[in-house]
Amino acid sequence: MNRENKKRKYDKKYFRTHPCMDPFTCKVCGWPVVPAGAGSGHRNHCPNCLYSLHLDQEPGDRASDCHGRMEPIGVWVRKNGEWAILHRCQRCGKIGSNRIAADDNPMKLMALAMRPFGSSAISREKIRDMTASMEG
């Protein structure tokens, strides 16, 4: 084992400062995922189905013992305008946020963004009022 591989294996904070360039196969849809199209070196979810795996307790530490599937449950927009996906672990229930990647499926992202408007929890009148208030 060379020095870099040893550091990668034993340093808990290795992936905070170093990109993870390992390809993987999605555990949900079977899509082969390569980090090259992500637009960043920190690929952490499938660009096809948007699922992730619960690997970290803190970003980049790979210290989670859960390893459950992280289901995409919504999107939110950060202060700088960047979109992020909200994931909930199907095993332990932890909720986390991951920035979207350049090659993420745009239709899946829009479906996540529109999900609250399709539920009966928000009435059509409330949606109209919100839309009118946003238009000015």
Side-chain angles (χ1 to χ4, degrees), residues 38-87:
S40 119
H42 299 282
R43 160 65 73 194
N44 52 16
H45 61 272
C46 173
N48 183 49
C49 68
L50 306 179
Y51 270 77
S52 184
L53 288 179
H54 189 179
L55 299 175
D56 299 338
Q57 288 177 352
E58 296 293 325
D61 67 4
R62 301 296 192 259
S64 175
D65 294 329
C66 179
H67 298 282
R69 292 177 181 175
M70 301 282 283
E71 174 187 17
I73 59 170
V75 295
W76 69 288
V77 181
R78 294 178 173 174
K79 287 181 183 177
N80 63 1
E82 181 180 59
W83 279 35
I85 302 170
L86 292 171
H87 287 101

Side-chain angles (χ1 to χ4, degrees), residues 77-135:
V77 181
R78 294 178 173 174
K79 287 181 183 177
N80 63 1
E82 181 180 59
W83 279 35
I85 302 170
L86 292 171
H87 287 101
R88 180 179 49 223
C89 182
Q90 292 178 324
R91 184 176 287 169
C92 71
K94 179 181 178 183
I95 294 178
S97 174
N98 292 314
R99 62 191 288 202
I100 66 165
D103 60 349
D104 284 346
N105 184 331
M107 295 306 289
K108 298 268 181 156
L109 289 170
M110 289 308 296
L112 271 177
M114 297 304 294
R115 187 180 285 174
F117 297 108
S119 75
S120 59
I122 302 175
S123 68
R124 292 186 187 268
E125 293 78 30
K126 185 73 173 169
I127 293 171
R128 280 191 209 109
D129 292 344
M130 286 190 299
T131 306
S133 70
M134 286 183 228
E135 291 173 346

